[in-house]
Amino acid sequence: MALTKVQKRDRIKRRVRGKISGSSSAPRLSVYKSNKEIYAQLIDDKEGKTLVAASSREKGAAKGTKTEVATAVGKLIAEKAKAAGFEKVVFDRNGFVYHGRVKALADGAREGGLKF
């Protein structure tokens, strides 16, 4: 039986999550994208807590194409992470292909000063 798109993404997500983990020194930068919005979180997997979050739904988020908005969210999460004292993160694409909006968010976070 063929897997649906969501099932394929979930399978990839579980495989990747087994290999990477966020800590208090290097939290996991998790990305989620819907058709309309994009979200990013820094997660400490040892404590099970979200440390910092940013999304395209926030008031300070930029206008423009979805890719431009994703870059702005990447810069915003980097700014918030630096304010909270994080510089090194582990990137988690959450089963999404590293292309388009996910790549734009990662590039924006790197421009903002995060290292991964």
Side-chain angles (χ1 to χ4, degrees):
M1 186 174 114
L3 296 175
T4 66
K5 193 176 190 180
V6 174
Q7 289 171 327
K8 284 180 195 172
R9 188 176 80 80
D10 196 45
R11 182 180 275 186
I12 294 165
K13 183 169 124 176
R14 279 186 277 129
R15 184 173 60 232
V16 171
R17 199 66 54 80
K19 297 174 187 173
I20 65 170
S21 177
S23 64
S24 55
S25 59
R28 175 166 55 94
L29 173 57
S30 180
V31 175
Y32 177 76
K33 66 179 182 130
S34 67
N35 287 336
K36 199 172 178 184
E37 311 288 348
I38 191 155
Y39 308 85
Q41 296 181 316
L42 290 185
I43 303 166
D44 179 358
D45 289 315
K46 303 237 186 326
E47 294 286 320
K49 291 186 176 169
T50 298
L51 306 169
V52 179
S55 79
S56 56
R57 300 186 69 178
E58 291 182 27
K59 287 199 191 290
K63 299 265 188 269
T65 65
K66 289 180 188 177
T67 308
E68 290 166 354
V69 170
T71 304
V73 170
K75 288 178 183 172
L76 186 62
I77 192 83
E79 188 180 299
K80 288 183 174 184
K82 287 200 152 205
F86 301 109
E87 219 163 280
K88 191 171 167 67
V89 297
V90 179
F91 190 73
D92 175 16
R93 60 192 172 89
N94 216 351
F96 295 107
V97 177
Y98 187 79
H99 177 73
R101 290 194 283 158
V102 175
K103 186 177 187 302
L105 189 139
D107 291 342
R110 282 192 188 102
E111 279 177 41
L114 287 181
K115 292 183 173 47
F116 53 93

